[in-house]
Amino acid sequence: MAADLSSLLTSSKALTSHLSRPELPHVNLSLDQIEAQSRRLISRQPGASGDSGRANYLLAQAHVDAPALANSIAHLNTSTTFLPLQPLQDTDIAGYLRHAHEQNVISTIEEARRETQEEFYRVLEDRGRRDWEARKKRVFEELGGRVGGDNQAVAEWNKGHHSKSSLTLSTGPSPSLQMQSKMMAYDRAVSDLNAARLRGISYPVVHSFIQASLSLNPDRTQQMTQNFHILAKITEEPPVLPPLEHAGAHILNTPIFERKYARAYLGDPSSRDAVDLRRQIARGAREAFEEQYFDVIERTIQARPFEAKLGGDPSVANKVRAFLLVRYYRNGEWQDRIELVASQPLWAKLFYLVRTGYALEALSEALQHQQAIERREDSFVSHFRAWVESPDRRLPKPHRDHIQSIYNAHMLHSATVDPFKLALYKLMGKLDRSRRSVPMVTATTEDWLWFQLAMVDEDEDGGLRGLAEVLLSYGERHFEGAPGQKGGRIGLWAAVLLLCGQFEKAVASLWDHPETEIEAVHLAIALSYHGLLRSPPRAETSDMTPLSLPPNSPPALSLPTLIWRYVRQFVKLDAKEALQYVYTTTLNADQTVIGKEQLENAWDLVRRIIILANSGPAWDELVGGFRSDGIRFSGVIEQGAALLKLKDSQQFNEVILVQAAKHSEENDRVLEAIKLYNLAGDYHTVIVCLAQALGNTLSQPNGGGEKGKAIESTASEIVRHYERTNRAVGKEREAVVRLLRIREAMNAKAAGRMEVALEVMESTDLIPLDGDVAKINRRTEEFKDLHDALQRNLQTYLPLTMDAIAGVYQKVKASGVPDGSRQMTLTALRKKSRSLMIFAGMLRYRLSPDVYSYLARLDVEIAL
C-alpha cells in the first residue's frame, strides 16, 4: 500500500513539473497537518462560519469577489452621501442652489414614493374590505331565506335554466319596518310610471321620487333628496304633471322623457350630441347647487333676522346683501380682505348672485355701479357682461387674454386681493384650473363642487370627463370620510359622481351602503327611464355586484340584477308590486344586442315571480284564470305585456306561461303548472300533466293527502270543461277519466261504501270481471297499450277491486237476504274474484309477490 502511495505521489509531481517555479519552496505537509492549519485559519476570521464559506464559494463561481466587496462596505463612509461630489466654495452661490435643487428633487421623489406606497396599501386594504363586505353580504342574503320549499324550487329552476342569468335567487330575509315604510313611499311612483308607459305618455319620475323622499324626511337639504334634485336638473325634467286620469289632453303637449338621452349617452362619446349632453350635465348640476345655496341664504336670513336687516325689499340682491351682513360683518367691521366698492362688499355681492344662479341680477348690479367698479378694475363690467350673456358662459379669446393678463399682474400672487373678485376673474376667464380652491369662496364641499362645474369647458382640459378623472382620483373617502366615521355624509359621493356624469358608479356607491340601497334602485330606474344608464352584456354581468368595469369600455350597471336583489325581499308578500319593478328592466331594451338580453332577463324575472308567488286568489289575479262560466280573464302580468315587449297573446303564452309551467312541473308544483298550461291554451299538455299527477297520487299513502284531493278536484273540473268544449280528445283524456274513477272508488271504499266502489271500478273497464276467458286474454293484451299512469298503478287498483268484492261478499253473506237471491249474489262475486285472479295471474310479472299473495288470500276466503 505504501509503495502504491509513493508511486502515486511521484506521478502527481510529474504532472506539474513543467509549472513549478524554483523561487517558491515546496510545502510538504501530511493530511493531519493540513487540517490543523485550516482550522487555525478559520478560527482567526471573526464571525466566520461554514455557511459564509459556502456562500463565498458559490459567489466565486459567478466571478464575484465577496471578501473585496465586504471590505469596501466595511470602510464605506455614509456621512458624505448627500454632499456634492465636488467641494463647493463659500462664494459659489450657483453651485449651492443647484445642489439644493437636486436635493429637493430627490426628497420630493422619495416623499412621493412613500406616499404612493402608503396610498397603494390603503386602497388595497379598502378594496379588500369592500370585496369582503360584498361577499359577506351575499352569503348572509343567501342564508337569510328559509332553506327548502320555494327557495329550493327556484334553485332547481336555475339548474334547469342553464344559468343564463347571474341573478341571485334567494328571497332573503324580510325587510324591517323602517325599510318597508321607505319602500312603500317609492313604490307608488313606480306603479304610476308603468301606467304612464302603458298609455304612451311621459312621466316625471325623478320629481316623483323627490316627493317620495320628502314624504320620509321633509328637510330638502337631506342628501338623498338633493341627489334626486341634481338628476332632475341634469335631465331638465319639469315638475310633476297633472294626475294620469286628467292627462289625456296633455299627451300632445307633453315632451317625451323616456329614453330621451339614450342615443347621446350610449353612442360615440366624441359626437356632437355627446358633447352637448356633457354640457347639459354640467349646467344642470351647477344649477342644482345654485338653487340649493339660495335656500341656504334664505334660511340663514330667517334664522338671524336682526343681523340680516332685510327690511321690506324682498329682491334677490337685497337678500344677498342681508346674507353678507350675517356672514362677514362683525362688530362694525367687514372681514379681512373683503374690498368695499361704493361702500359695500360689491365683489362678494356679485359673486353670490352668480353663485345662486342670478347672473342677470349680478349684471344689473354691476351696471348700476359701473363707474365705481371701473375705478378699481377697468373694463371689468364689459368682460362680465359678455360672460353673463354668453350662452355657454365662455368668453372670446381677446377677452380671456385681457383677463389673464390682469389676473397674472394683480391677483395671482397678491395676499390682500378680495377672494370674491379673484373668483369672478377665474370664472370669467376659466383661469388657473390647477388651483381648484379659493379661500373663503370654496368654504364647503358644495361650494367647491359648484366652482369646479363653473370652470368646466368642454373644449379644454377634457371638459366634464377631465373633471371626472380628478374627482375619481380623490375617491369616496375624501368626500364622505372613512366608513363608520362620525360626521360622514352618506350619499355625497353619489352626488359627486352624478354631477360629473358617472351615473353607473353613482348608483353602485349608494348600493354599497345598506341604508341607501332603496334610493340606489330608484335612482337606477330614473336614469334608465331618461336613457342615462349603460347596461353590460350578459357575459360581463356579475352576481356579486351590479356594476361592471370593463378595462377598455365605460362602466355599466345591470338593472335586472339590482331589481331582483331588491324585490326578492318582498316578492312572496306582494308579487304584484315586485312585478312593477321588473317592468322597469325593459327600459334598456332599445339597445341592439344588449337590449335583447335585457328583455330575456325581464322575462326570466317574471317567471321567477310566478314561481315564488303563493298559490291562491292573489296568484290567479297575477297570472289570470277562468270564471265559473268558463270565460278566461287576464292577470296583471298579461295586462302589462306591452311593457315586456310581447307582441301578442301567443308570444305571451309561449314566453311566460308555458316556460313558467315547465319549471313548475319540474319542481313538483303540479297544480300551478296545470293552471299555467291551461291559461296558455296548451290543453294536451294539461291532460298529460293531470294523468301524471293523478297516477303519482294514487300510489301514495292516503291518496296523496290534501295535495291529492286538490289535484283530483282540479282534474274533475278541467275534464268536465274539456268534455263540454270537446278539447284534448284522445288516450290521455280517457286515462284521466279512468284515474278519476279509481280515486272515486278509493274514496267510496274509505267511506265504507263497498258496493259503490265495486260499481265504479267495473265502470272503468280496466279489469274483466265477467269470467269470459277470451275477454280476459284480450284485456291482458291491451294492457300494454294503456296509459303509463294506469300501468304503473296496477298494484293499486287490483287490490282495491278485490277489497271491494270481498267487502260486498262479507256484507251479503252476513245479511238476511233469502237464500236463493243470496246464493246468486255470492256466486257472482266468486266469479268476479276468480276472473280478477286469472287476470292478475296473466300480469303477475307486473305485481309484487306481496300483492299477488294478498289477492290470492282474499280469493280463497271468498271461494270458501
Side-chain angles (χ1 to χ4, degrees), residues 507-524:
V507 175
S509 70
L510 293 177
W511 184 254
D512 286 342
H513 299 283
E515 55 269 48
T516 56
E517 285 183 353
I518 296 175
E519 287 83 357
V521 171
H522 294 88
L523 181 64

Side-chain angles (χ1 to χ4, degrees), residues 677 681-690 722 727-733:
Y677 281 128
D682 192 353
Y683 307 120
H684 176 76
T685 307
V686 170
I687 291 297
V688 171
C689 288
L690 284 175
Y722 283 9
R727 290 173 177 168
V729 178
K731 177 182 176 181
E732 284 78 12
R733 196 178 84 176

Side-chain angles (χ1 to χ4, degrees), residues 324-548:
L324 293 175
L325 282 172
V326 175
R327 179 64 65 89
Y328 300 112
Y329 193 73
R330 294 287 185 278
N331 301 321
E333 294 183 354
W334 289 96
Q335 193 169 329
D336 292 343
R337 296 182 62 183
I338 290 184
E339 182 181 350
L340 299 181
V341 179
S343 302
Q344 60 175 317
L346 191 58
W347 301 116
K349 190 175 184 180
L350 294 178
F351 174 80
Y352 277 106
L353 285 170
V354 173
R355 173 68 177 86
T356 54
Y358 293 97
L360 292 177
E361 285 77 359
L363 177 59
S364 178
E365 284 287 318
L367 292 172
Q368 184 179 347
H369 301 90
Q370 182 172 3
Q371 292 183 356
I373 292 174
E374 293 190 346
R375 291 195 195 101
R376 308 291 182 92
E377 296 295 337
D378 186 29
S379 70
F380 171 83
V381 176
S382 64
H383 295 320
F384 188 63
R385 182 171 188 167
W387 180 71
V388 170
E389 293 178 348
S390 172
D392 55 356
R393 297 279 176 88
R394 192 169 188 272
L395 289 176
K397 190 174 186 305
H399 287 269
R400 295 182 66 180
D401 291 343
H402 188 208
I403 290 175
Q404 180 78 64
S405 62
I406 296 174
Y407 176 81
N408 292 339
H410 304 294
M411 300 180 190
L412 181 58
H413 301 293
S414 175
T416 59
V417 67
D418 188 308
F420 297 102
K421 179 169 68 173
L422 177 67
L424 287 171
Y425 270 90
K426 283 177 67 70
L427 290 175
M428 289 190 298
K430 301 189 186 302
L431 308 175
D432 201 9
R433 287 190 178 89
S434 61
R435 299 188 182 185
R436 298 185 174 274
S437 299
V438 178
M440 295 175 62
V441 174
T442 55
T444 66
T445 302
E446 287 79 2
D447 291 332
W448 187 86
L449 291 172
W450 175 87
F451 199 80
Q452 310 314 309
L453 290 168
M455 294 282 286
V456 165
D457 189 338
E458 278 302 314
D459 297 327
E460 297 180 10
D461 296 337
L464 189 66
R465 288 182 292 180
L467 176 61
E469 292 179 3
V470 173
L471 296 177
L472 289 172
S473 67
Y474 290 145
E476 180 178 0
R477 185 186 294 262
H478 180 82
F479 293 94
E480 293 187 3
Q485 179 180 343
K486 291 184 178 180
R489 294 173 55 186
I490 295 177
L492 180 58
W493 177 236
V496 173
L497 295 170
L498 281 175
L499 65 86
C500 62
Q502 298 291 313
F503 301 125
E504 295 82 9
K505 291 183 178 180
V507 175
S509 70
L510 293 177
W511 184 254
D512 286 342
H513 299 283
E515 55 269 48
T516 56
E517 285 183 353
I518 296 175
E519 287 83 357
V521 171
H522 294 88
L523 181 64
I525 292 173
L527 288 166
S528 296
Y529 181 70
H530 285 281
L532 295 174
L533 195 73
R534 189 174 286 102
S535 300
R538 182 179 293 142
E540 296 177 4
T541 302
S542 169
D543 59 351
M544 293 300 300
T545 174
L547 183 66
S548 174

Side-chain angles (χ1 to χ4, degrees), residues 275-341:
V275 173
D276 291 341
L277 177 59
R278 289 196 291 272
R279 286 197 178 101
Q280 179 179 323
I281 292 171
R283 181 174 63 252
R286 189 183 72 240
E287 290 174 357
F289 282 122
E290 290 168 356
E291 291 185 6
Q292 175 190 355
Y293 200 78
F294 191 73
D295 290 340
V296 172
I297 288 178
E298 289 189 320
R299 287 199 307 272
T300 302
I301 294 172
Q302 292 174 5
R304 300 166 69 176
F306 180 76
E307 298 176 46
K309 301 176 183 179
L310 182 61
D313 182 7
S315 65
V316 175
N318 193 43
K319 288 182 178 180
V320 170
R321 178 200 58 79
F323 174 76
L324 293 175
L325 282 172
V326 175
R327 179 64 65 89
Y328 300 112
Y329 193 73
R330 294 287 185 278
N331 301 321
E333 294 183 354
W334 289 96
Q335 193 169 329
D336 292 343
R337 296 182 62 183
I338 290 184
E339 182 181 350
L340 299 181
V341 179

Side-chain angles (χ1 to χ4, degrees), residues 697-699 703 738-764 766-767 769 790 793-809 829 832-833 836 840 847 851-852 854-855 858 862:
T697 58
L698 283 180
S699 59
R738 284 178 164 180
L739 289 167
L740 286 173
R741 299 291 285 170
I742 294 173
R743 285 197 63 91
E744 184 181 352
M746 294 173 64
N747 296 334
K749 175 194 169 186
R753 298 181 297 159
M754 294 299 185
E755 297 90 344
V756 176
L758 180 57
E759 181 181 353
V760 171
M761 285 306 303
E762 284 187 281
S763 69
T764 63
L766 288 170
I767 307 171
L769 299 177
L790 292 171
N793 282 283
L794 178 66
Q795 296 194 124
T796 300
Y797 58 79
L798 275 182
L800 171 64
T801 307
M802 184 62 85
D803 286 341
I805 295 172
V808 174
Y809 182 85
L829 291 172
K832 293 180 186 296
S833 174
L836 188 149
L847 300 173
V851 171
Y852 190 79
Y854 177 76
L855 295 175
L858 288 182
I862 293 171

Side-chain angles (χ1 to χ4, degrees), residues 768-783:
L769 299 177
D770 54 3
D772 187 346
V773 176
K775 187 176 181 180
I776 294 174
N777 289 329
R778 188 166 61 251
R779 286 286 182 271
T780 304
E781 291 295 326
E782 293 173 351
F783 180 80

